[in-house]
Structure formats: C-alpha cells, structure tokens
Amino acid sequence: MLMVRTLLLAAIAASPALVAGEVKFDAPQKLLGGGKVIDVEQPGYAAPSLADMDGDGVPDLLVGQFNKGKIGVYKGTRSKEGKLSFGERTWLQAEGADAVIPGVW
C-alpha cells in the first residue's frame, strides 16, 4: 500500500498537467450590452451573474450596482451560431418599481 501511495504521489508531482490539465484562455474582451461597453459604478462591487430571468431558455446577465443597490438586467439572445449577446440595460423590477437591495454600510 505504501508503494502505491508513493508511486501516485510521484506521478502527481512529476506532471501537474495530469492533475489539472492544460488550460488556455482567450484574450480579455470588454462585454457589450446593447452595443455599448458594460460599465459598473464605483467602487465596482458588481458581482455579475447569469440567470434566465424571463424563462426563454437564454441566460440574461445581471450586474449589481453598489450605488443605490440596483441590479442591471441585460437580456440575453443567441445568434443562429449559438453566440450569446446582451441587450441594453434595464433595472430589475419588483412590483412595478426598480428593485433596491439595501447596502450594509
């Protein structure tokens, strides 16, 4: 058992690619919403996430705004090739008004 454990540890140490695999990322790109760069207010605690807000099967982008606790919603659409893009920002609504999430400060 000790020999098996030693061989396993030696294999892991010898080749990190066996454990994690090789990962390559594309160059960073600015994300667009409605043809404009999506920007966040300062201090920038945006915490973006994807969720299908309207039930159409396509993820929409939600971007929180630190100032006033609003959440921007960018409706997602897919091209025929499957590329995801986003429309112009609207604010998350609750009972017909902009939803506000109170800050902790």
Side-chain angles (χ1 to χ4, degrees):
M1 186 65 163
L2 180 60
M3 185 174 179
V4 171
R5 201 175 308 159
T6 303
L7 288 174
L8 180 58
L9 289 173
I12 291 170
S15 181
L18 290 175
V19 176
E22 188 173 334
V23 177
K24 292 185 180 182
F25 293 97
D26 288 337
Q29 298 179 17
K30 293 191 179 218
L31 195 56
L32 302 179
K36 298 180 240 170
V37 173
I38 295 175
D39 199 7
V40 296
E41 299 170 355
Q42 293 299 322
Y45 304 120
S49 64
L50 294 171
D52 183 6
M53 297 298 291
D54 53 8
D56 65 356
V58 179
D60 304 304
L61 176 66
L62 287 83
V63 180
Q65 297 294 323
F66 184 78
N67 184 20
K68 299 180 184 173
K70 294 183 182 179
I71 297 176
V73 179
Y74 299 83
K75 180 171 174 36
T77 57
R78 286 208 188 272
S79 68
K80 290 181 182 178
E81 298 80 29
K83 183 178 178 185
L84 182 62
S85 60
F86 302 102
E88 291 190 32
R89 180 189 69 202
T90 59
W91 294 114
L92 182 67
Q93 298 285 298
E95 298 180 0
D98 292 347
V100 177
I101 300 170
V104 295
W105 283 269

